[in-house]
Amino acid sequence: MSQPVDRPRRIEYLDLYRAIAIMAVVAIHATSTAVAHYPKNTFDHDLFYFWNTFLQFAVPAFLFLSSLVLFYNYNGKLNEQGWVRSFYKKRMFYIFIPYIAWSFIYFVIKKLLAGKEPMEDSMQLVKQLLMGTAHTHLYFFLIILQFYIVFPWILALTKQSWFKRYMPLYFIAGQALFYILHLQFHFERTGSLLPSYLIVIGVGAWIGLNFDSIMKQMNRFRYLLLGVLLGTGSLTMYATETIKTVLMEWPILTFTSLFFIRNAFTLSACLLLLMVSERVGTRKRRNEHKSARLMDSLGTVAFGIFLIHPLILLFWRREFTDDLARHFNLGIVLSYIAALLISWLCAIGLRRLKWGWVLIGR
């Protein structure tokens, strides 16, 4: 029997990465109401549209990080017996039991708010569980499930030199092929399908496999990445419709341009967020501050915050939207603060309970 390898060291500053990413996720959901509320081409709409669109890298950032961490942690376990079974057991308990629990909670609460008997249509609940539609954010679990299914096979492929050497290119080609097929066959709910995120997953995996060497080299490209982020971010927010109009007669050019712009924006955001977390995180370890501990706490329970915060926003919009109608912008800001802080405190409390993993994982 092969002896297990030493467990890789924990990368402490990734909690800072998670903290920033979850703050962005909550901000996206909090500002979505304002984007829909205000007429286009008004200052208020443009302000909230900017933040809502610019922060759209947040969910791909979590997939990027999940891939990085999994390949970093499991790279040395391929020769261990039973690691695949242990991997799936851990994920089923600590990821999908919370998913089932929260799908049930959101389903019941929304039925009650609509004045309906929660369990009068149990098949609807089953369908929502399978489709990740019990609430707007739960589609993320379908993506994660697809990733977990293929992860052991991708990890096995990394032992092949032809795959590992050009690994990111295979993922780029895979996502490009998926979008070409989508243009032909018009798949539904592409945002819930793993191939829509192959680039961030592939680059995350590549960094996870070569973490120390890549982190030493990546800092040299920080200004290039910042320029790509700002440039492609501006194009994503303000030039997408123009590109579609100008290139209307050349669909392949439209596809290629938008594919490059959107993925360059998302990937550069993930890489810069990783670099910022590394620089700030390693610095704060030498000089601990309360703010550093707060951000670590936020990142540690980011999964719980992700699950809980839409519930806070649901009740906030139901109870306070009319009261704050005359101060709508203030209401949006307060809804963000309330959703973040209340879900944060709830997640911390649940984490201390023996059964808390049922609701926020581990």
Side-chain angles (χ1 to χ4, degrees), residues 13-277:
Y13 57 79
L14 292 185
D15 282 333
L16 177 60
Y17 182 109
R18 294 183 184 93
I20 298 172
I22 195 60
M23 290 170 68
V25 169
V26 178
I28 292 170
H29 295 156
T31 57
S32 61
T33 302
V35 174
H37 173 79
Y38 286 114
K40 291 184 177 180
N41 301 319
T42 62
F43 173 80
D44 292 312
H45 175 273
D46 292 345
L47 175 64
F48 286 109
Y49 173 81
F50 170 83
W51 287 111
N52 185 270
T53 306
F54 186 77
L55 296 174
Q56 291 294 327
F57 67 84
V59 170
F62 275 113
L63 293 170
F64 169 87
L65 185 62
S66 296
S67 181
L68 187 158
V69 171
L70 284 181
F71 280 90
Y72 175 83
N73 285 331
Y74 283 91
N75 183 37
K77 295 187 177 183
L78 270 175
N79 295 325
E80 292 185 25
Q81 292 187 4
W83 78 266
V84 175
R85 181 172 58 185
S86 175
F87 169 79
Y88 283 126
K89 181 179 178 181
K90 182 178 180 181
R91 265 66 198 175
M92 289 303 296
F93 268 90
Y94 299 133
I95 299 295
F96 287 99
I97 287 182
Y99 165 67
I100 293 170
W102 280 102
S103 293
F104 179 77
I105 290 170
Y106 281 107
F107 178 82
V108 170
I109 288 176
K110 289 164 73 172
K111 286 289 187 180
L112 291 173
L113 292 177
K116 298 179 180 179
E117 174 61 36
M119 300 312 297
E120 66 182 7
D121 190 359
S122 58
M123 288 306 300
Q124 184 182 6
L125 173 59
V126 173
K127 182 179 179 180
Q128 290 183 359
L129 280 170
L130 294 175
M131 300 295 292
T133 55
H135 203 59
T136 53
H137 65 310
L138 295 176
Y139 75 94
F140 179 79
F141 288 86
L142 292 186
I143 306 169
I144 286 291
L145 175 60
Q146 295 165 68
F147 179 41
Y148 288 165
I149 290 172
V150 301
F151 168 71
W153 283 270
I154 298 175
L155 184 61
L157 278 175
T158 63
K159 298 306 175 184
Q160 306 297 321
S161 59
W162 60 267
F163 181 79
K164 187 175 182 178
R165 186 174 183 180
Y166 303 105
M167 188 174 177
L169 297 180
Y170 292 110
F171 284 87
I172 293 171
Q175 186 167 331
L177 176 61
F178 172 72
Y179 275 104
I180 292 172
L181 293 173
H182 172 58
L183 290 176
Q184 181 67 33
F185 299 106
H186 304 290
F187 303 129
E188 295 184 3
R189 295 173 54 81
T190 55
S192 299
L193 299 177
L194 183 68
S196 294
Y197 307 93
L198 284 179
I199 292 176
V200 292
I201 287 173
V203 174
W206 181 59
I207 294 175
L209 293 172
N210 308 277
F211 187 78
D212 292 325
S213 61
I214 290 179
M215 290 304 297
K216 290 177 181 178
Q217 299 176 28
M218 198 162 56
N219 192 53
R220 295 185 298 171
F221 302 98
R222 60 187 183 278
Y223 295 117
L224 173 62
L225 288 172
L226 182 59
V228 171
L229 175 70
L230 296 176
T232 55
S234 299
L235 291 172
T236 298
M237 287 184 284
Y238 303 116
T240 298
E241 293 304 319
T242 302
I243 291 172
K244 290 179 180 179
T245 302
V246 171
L247 300 178
M248 184 183 302
E249 297 182 5
W250 300 280
I252 189 63
L253 289 180
T254 304
F255 158 75
T256 303
S257 300
L258 295 179
F259 180 85
F260 171 80
I261 290 169
R262 290 168 180 168
N263 286 288
F265 168 67
T266 301
L267 184 58
S268 61
C270 293
L271 294 174
L272 282 169
L273 183 54
L274 180 62
M275 292 169 60
V276 168
S277 300

